[in-house]
Every structure is written in C-alpha cells, then in structure tokens.
C-alpha cells in the first residue's frame, strides 16, 4: 500500500510528466477542420492556420481557451476523449492553463477553444527522447515511488505510461460529511476505483466507497472522531494525534484523500513513519475534520511538517495558520527548530510567508534593543534560514561589516504587518497536552 507522505519533490518529475505524457498519446483519426469558407476575403495568417487545423486536436497542442471569467487564456491540451454519443470527431479536451495552477486543469468542449490560435505542435517524441536520456537515476526512482513498486529499471515507455495515468484528475468530486467537494489533483486510489469519478468518504474513519448506499450502510461506523489521542481542545476545536503505525488504514485513507488537494508530492509506502495531526470542529454529532498536517517521527532535515491541508470548504478561515502555528508549538515542546518540507505549494508558501511575517514582526515590534536571528529562532522555533529569507523579502535585512543586521523601523513593520493579513486562529498553548514522540517511546 502507499502513503502519500513525506514527500519530496518534484518540479523535475512534473516536468518529465508533461513531456513524456504528451508523447505517449495515441493518435486518433485526423480530420481536417472545416473552416467556414470566405472566398472573397484575402487570406490572412489566421484563416490559413485555421483551415489547416486538424480535428481532433492533438495532445500537446497549444491554443487559447475561454475560461470561467469569459476571457481567453493560453492552454496546452493534456488529454482528449470522445464525447459519449458524439460523432467520430466529437471530442472534449483536458487542458492546462499556462498561467494557472494545475488544480484548474479541466475538461473543456471544442466551442471553448479558439481554433484560430492553434499553434503547431513540436515534435515531442524527439523532445521526449532527449528528456528521458537526461533523466538521472534519482529522478527515475522518484517516479517509481509515485506509484509502481519495484520498477527500478522502468524503460521510457513504461514511464510514459505511468505519467499518462497520473496527469488527468481521476476523481472529480468527493462527499465528506456534509460537503460535496470538487477535487484538485490526481490521487492514486487502488485500481478497483478506476471507473469512479465520485467517491463517498466516511468523515470519521475516512474509509471511501463507490456508492452513496454503501456509505449510508456504513453510517453505523463506530468512530465519531479520528482515532488516536486528543491532544488539544479549545472551545469546539480539537486536535487529534494519530500514529500511522497504530492506525495504518486511517493513515492511508487520509493520504489518499489529501493527495486530491496536494500536487507536488511523491508517494511513499510507509505511513508508520508519520504522525498525523487532525484538526476537527466538534459538535454533538462528532468531530468533523477540518484539516491536518503530518510530521515525520524523526526528521534528519529538521522538518516539523511534511504535508498540510485545509479541506476546501474550510479554507481562508485561519485554520491553515492555526495548523502551522501548532506545528511550531510542537517544535518548541521538543526544544528544536523546524521547517516545512519542500517544495511548498503556491498556497503553502503564501500561508507560511504570512505566518512567519506576523510572528517575527510582532516580536520585532515589541522588542527593545538588538536581537539576532538566532535569538528569533530560539523564541519561535522557526529555522534561521526561513527567518532570513522572510526578513530579506521584506527588505528588513542589511549586510554590514560582514554581518546580517535587522533594520526595523516601526512604521515599516506596521505596514508589513498590515499587508500580512489576519493572524488566524490562536493556539492556546495551555490547552496542548502532548509529549514528544521520542519521549512517548
Ligand atoms: N488565495 C490567496 N491567498 C490565499 C489563498 C488563496 N486561495 N489561500 C490562502 N491564502 C493566503 C492568505 O494570505 C491567507 O491569509 P488571509 O486569509 O489572512 O489573507 C493565508 O494564505 C492563510 O490562510 P488560512 O485561512 O490560515 O489558510 P487555509 O486554511 O486556507 O490553508 C493551506 C492554507 C493549508 C495552504 C490550504 O490552502 C490548502 O490546504 N491548500 C492545498 C494543499 C496545499 O497546497 N498545502 C501546502 C503544500 S506545501 C506542504 O505541504 C509542506
Ligand atoms: Zn467510518
């Protein structure tokens, strides 16, 4: 079984994904696009291109596509499929918007594409060969880890097949508690779920099912909260610590679920190595998961958080910052500094930058006299490098006489603090009852 955690990442793998994926596409019937004829009109470039456009469009084609804002944006065709009941030439296209994150990739109809803007497709078979030759053994192993066990010597074709399999979202929506949630990315559910576009999760044990009736039958589920220990309770908010070794199935279910919203993460097979901190809003029906973060039981790289997720219905309410703050409170109790595992997603980076800015600038505002990065790190458990990059990005660091010096004009601090947004929900440290993993064992 897989766990999706721990993840390192994968800009490189993603690059390979795209290049390899396109080349692996089977070529379907090619029919010339019937451009409206306008004999009298002088032939400009656009109509010429348009007349030459072949349908269905090839995977890899670059074209403009009308998005939900009504405007046209450049996209790349990632995949295509025949429309059910359509004619031989009726396809829909899975596209990636160049300007947007992959979570906005979607199936679109031909009418949304501006065929005048079609760009000639590069010979990606050649490009692909070059890419696969350049691939290092390390990169190759990373790809293996994403899904297939024991494929040390995967050839380029198998890799393409694998990438082909993961580039299009498989599950479109999930039902979880009282929410139906649109997913963002591919998640490698077991093969028996290949034909599903919607899954039904038990919100307590996170078992997932193909049909609503199965979930209804499952409602007698014994759990009303995540398994494991409740280590924090404040008002209606509770945090549970789940040991992946003691609750393997729960850990794996959580990883399958989380991968639907996490892109650049590689799958590993062992949830045993992780603790999961599951945040819940509690009422008389039970404790409803809002989000979570995972943490390696032991991290040589001083990671204090592997993956973080706030479920979409709960996002932008301060839970992300709460989870981040919580991860640092655990580090403080361990007497260590910590940092999140890289790479950070776009939203992950925004949340961390906001958190670091607020915490550091609050201290700088209150502090009288000199303070060093080391002291800031000791006070906050934020790794020195993260403090340095945060303060540098705010232009609060100067290099004088061979040393980094923090220059904090109160007015500038106030301006940055205002821009850093709301503080999020506070962690009430008195309500955290927790012993670090090492000491527990
Ligand atoms: N657009 C713009 N800014 C955003 C957005 C957004 N959609 N989402 C978060 N932010 C920024 C804002 O600055 C926000 O603060 P503000 O609301 O005060 O302006 C700040 O990030 C955090 O907001 P929160 O409400 O505290 O965070 P949230 O509960 O939304 O969770 C999280 C943030 C966990 C990153 C969430 O977006 C998520 O789960 N994303 C999908 C999974 C993911 O990308 N996780 C991080 C991967 S990296 C890693 O795991 C190490
Ligand atoms: Zn259940």
């Amino acid at each position: 079984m897989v766990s999706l955690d721990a993840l390192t990442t994968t800009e490189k793998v993603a690059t390979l994904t795209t290049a390899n994926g396109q080349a692996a596409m089977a070529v379907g019937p090619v029919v010339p696009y019937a451009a409206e004829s306008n004999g009298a009109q002088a032939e400009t470039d656009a109509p010429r291109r348009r007349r030459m456009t072949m349908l269905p469009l090839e995977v890899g084609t670059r074209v403009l596509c009308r998005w939900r804002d009504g405007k046209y944006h450049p996209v790349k065709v990632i995949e295509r499929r025949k429309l059910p009941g359509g004619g031989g030439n009726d396809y829909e296209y899975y596209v990636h918007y160049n300007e947007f994150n992959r979570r906005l990739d979607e199936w679109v109809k031909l009418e949304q594409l501006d065929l005048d803007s079609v760009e000639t497709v590069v010979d990606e078979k050649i490009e692909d060969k070059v890419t696969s030759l350049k691939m290092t053994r390390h990169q190759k192993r990373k790809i293996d880890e994403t899904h297939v066990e024991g494929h040390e010597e995967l050839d380029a074709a198998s890799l393409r097949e694998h990438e082909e399999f993961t580039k299009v979202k498989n599950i479109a929506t999930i039902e979880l508690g009282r929410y139906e949630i649109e997913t963002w990315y591919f998640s490698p559910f077991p093969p028996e779920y290949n034909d599903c576009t919607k899954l039904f999760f038990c919100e307590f044990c996170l078992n997932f099912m193909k049909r609503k009736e199965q979930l209804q039958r499952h409602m007698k589920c014994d759990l009303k909260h995540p398994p494991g220990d409740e280590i924090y309770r404040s008002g209606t908010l509770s945090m549970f610590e789940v040991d992946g070794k003691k609750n393997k199935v729960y850990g794996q279910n959580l990883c399958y679920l989380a991968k639907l919203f996490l892109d650049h993460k590689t799958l590993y097979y062992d949830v045993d190595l992780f603790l999961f901190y599951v945040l819940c809003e509690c009422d008389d029906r039970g404790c409803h998961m809002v989000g979570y973060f995972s943490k390696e039981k032991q991290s040589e790289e001083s990671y204090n958080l592997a993956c973080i997720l706030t479920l979409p219905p709960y996002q932008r309410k301060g839970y992300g910052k709460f989870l981040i703050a919580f991860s640092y409170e655990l580090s403080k109790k361990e007497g260590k500094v910590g940092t999140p595992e890289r790479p950070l997603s776009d939203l992950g980076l925004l949340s961390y930058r906001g958190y670091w800015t607020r915490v550091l600038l609050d201290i700088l505002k209150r502090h009288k006299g000199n303070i060093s990065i080391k002291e800031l790190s000791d006070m906050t458990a934020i790794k020195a490098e993260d403090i340095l990059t945060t303060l540098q990005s705010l232009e609060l660091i100067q290099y004088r006489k061979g040393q980094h010096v923090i220059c904090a004009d109160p007015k500038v601090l106030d301006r940055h603090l205002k821009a850093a947004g709301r503080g999020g929900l506070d962690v009430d440290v008195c309500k955290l009852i927790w012993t670090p993993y090492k000491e527990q064992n």
Side-chain angles (χ1 to χ4, degrees):
M1 290 297 288
V2 289
S3 122
L4 315 173
D5 239 306
L7 327 172
T8 32
T9 258
T10 52
E11 287 295 346
K12 278 183 186 132
V13 174
T15 316
L16 282 167
T17 305
T18 321
N20 290 335
Q22 291 150 4
M25 280 309 298
V27 180
V30 179
V31 183
Y33 173 66
E36 295 132 48
S37 74
N38 183 353
Q41 196 185 320
E43 236 182 19
T44 63
D45 264 4
R48 196 181 309 129
R49 241 186 293 140
R50 182 167 176 167
R51 228 187 30 214
M52 285 160 56
T53 303
M54 299 293 197
L55 287 183
L57 296 176
E58 291 288 347
V59 166
T61 301
R62 291 176 186 277
V63 59
L64 292 176
C65 177
R66 197 177 61 246
W67 193 50
R68 56 185 83 153
D69 62 357
K71 296 189 182 129
Y72 282 86
H73 297 267
V75 300
K76 183 171 185 176
V77 175
I78 302 292
E79 178 63 293
R80 66 185 187 192
R81 69 182 175 201
K82 275 194 175 172
L83 281 167
N89 206 18
D90 282 345
Y91 279 76
E92 58 184 347
Y93 298 91
Y94 194 76
V95 298
H96 170 66
Y97 295 86
N98 303 353
E99 301 155 349
F100 306 146
N101 184 280
R102 255 163 53 106
R103 63 182 157 269
L104 296 170
D105 291 4
E106 61 180 349
W107 288 101
V108 299
K109 301 272 183 299
L110 186 66
E111 305 89 85
Q112 284 172 258
L113 302 175
D114 171 7
L115 293 172
D116 286 347
S117 68
V118 168
E119 275 178 32
T120 327
V121 188
V122 216
D123 186 353
E124 290 180 354
K125 286 203 174 92
I126 294 173
E127 223 179 44
D128 176 48
K129 268 186 203 145
V130 177
T131 318
S132 59
L133 283 174
K134 280 187 193 156
M135 190 167 53
T136 65
R137 194 175 169 78
H138 175 70
Q139 287 169 316
K140 204 166 154 187
R141 190 172 58 80
K142 284 266 164 266
I143 289 175
D144 293 341
E145 280 166 354
T146 59
H147 200 63
V148 204
E149 206 162 6
H151 284 220
E152 290 299 319
E153 300 307 327
L154 266 194
D155 55 52
S158 315
L159 279 176
R160 282 200 296 268
E161 198 179 311
H162 162 68
E163 294 306 340
E164 193 55 35
F165 186 64
T166 61
K167 70 188 177 184
V168 177
K169 246 174 258 181
N170 47 342
I171 307 295
T173 48
I174 57 165
E175 216 174 280
L176 179 75
R178 54 198 178 96
Y179 293 105
E180 180 169 301
I181 307 173
E182 276 183 33
T183 66
W184 293 3
Y185 306 109
F186 176 90
S187 179
F189 285 92
E192 59 269 33
Y193 295 87
N194 282 355
D195 57 343
C196 303
T197 52
K198 180 168 181 179
L199 288 179
F200 299 85
F201 279 81
C202 167
E203 62 169 327
F204 302 117
C205 67
L206 301 184
N207 280 337
F208 43 89
M209 288 145 246
K210 290 182 180 189
R211 293 193 313 279
K212 180 105 181 166
E213 307 81 73
Q214 290 173 297
L215 179 63
Q216 280 161 346
R217 279 201 295 277
H218 174 88
M219 284 306 184
K220 60 181 186 312
C221 181
D222 294 335
L223 282 181
K224 285 288 170 270
H225 56 77
D229 302 326
E230 187 180 12
I231 57 167
Y232 180 90
R233 187 189 297 183
S234 176
T236 55
L237 218 53
S238 280
M239 182 75 96
F240 291 83
E241 183 188 63
V242 185
D243 184 331
K245 187 165 185 179
K246 295 182 191 152
N247 297 282
K248 251 187 161 57
V249 175
Y250 182 89
Q252 285 162 352
N253 289 346
L254 180 55
C255 289
Y256 282 127
L257 170 66
K259 179 65 190 70
L260 292 167
F261 306 98
L262 284 157
D263 191 11
H264 291 233
K265 294 296 184 185
T266 308
L267 315 190
Y268 283 77
Y269 299 96
D270 219 349
V271 284
D272 293 21
L273 307 177
F274 291 89
L275 294 164
F276 299 92
Y277 293 91
V278 185
L279 182 63
C280 296
E281 272 181 359
C282 305
D283 58 25
D284 50 1
R285 290 180 304 115
C287 298
H288 314 281
M289 178 180 160
V290 161
Y292 87 105
F293 69 88
S294 54
K295 177 180 165 97
E296 275 177 289
K297 290 175 180 170
Q298 270 154 8
S299 167
E300 284 174 14
E301 296 91 343
S302 68
Y303 294 139
N304 64 351
L305 179 148
C307 285
I308 178 171
L309 168 73
T310 303
L311 289 165
Y314 298 96
Q315 286 177 6
R316 294 308 293 272
K317 296 178 197 286
Y319 289 120
K321 280 181 225 156
F322 179 91
L323 289 166
I324 293 172
F326 203 94
S327 71
Y328 283 106
E329 291 306 333
L330 298 188
S331 295
K332 285 181 200 167
K333 290 225 175 228
E334 290 172 320
K336 290 180 184 166
V337 296
T339 188
E341 198 173 287
R342 303 306 200 271
L344 297 176
S345 65
D346 55 347
L347 296 174
L349 183 61
L350 276 171
S351 306
Y352 266 97
R353 271 280 151 84
Y355 173 79
W356 290 329
T357 301
R358 183 158 285 284
V359 168
L360 296 171
L361 270 48
D362 271 343
I363 295 176
L364 292 181
K365 248 188 94 169
R366 280 185 278 115
H367 189 83
K368 307 257 178 298
N370 289 338
I371 191 161
S372 68
I373 287 181
K374 168 85 172 59
E375 283 165 322
L376 281 172
S377 180
D378 291 343
M379 290 162 85
T380 59
I382 301 174
K383 205 177 173 185
E385 285 90 327
D386 297 332
I387 297 180
L388 195 60
T389 52
T390 305
L391 297 181
Q392 270 169 342
S393 74
L394 299 171
E395 298 182 348
L396 296 177
I397 296 273
Q398 289 181 7
Y399 198 64
R400 288 187 200 155
K401 297 182 186 160
Q403 279 199 72
H404 291 295
V405 184
I406 303 169
C407 305
D409 173 339
K411 276 190 200 136
V412 178
L413 294 184
D414 279 337
R415 186 158 42 82
H416 286 314
L417 271 170
K418 220 170 163 190
R422 294 162 294 165
L425 302 162
D426 286 328
V427 178
D428 186 349
V429 191
C430 321
K431 294 183 172 152
L432 170 61
I433 300 167
W434 183 74
T435 318
Y437 179 76
K438 255 193 181 155
E439 293 165 32
Q440 285 176 28
N441 295 273

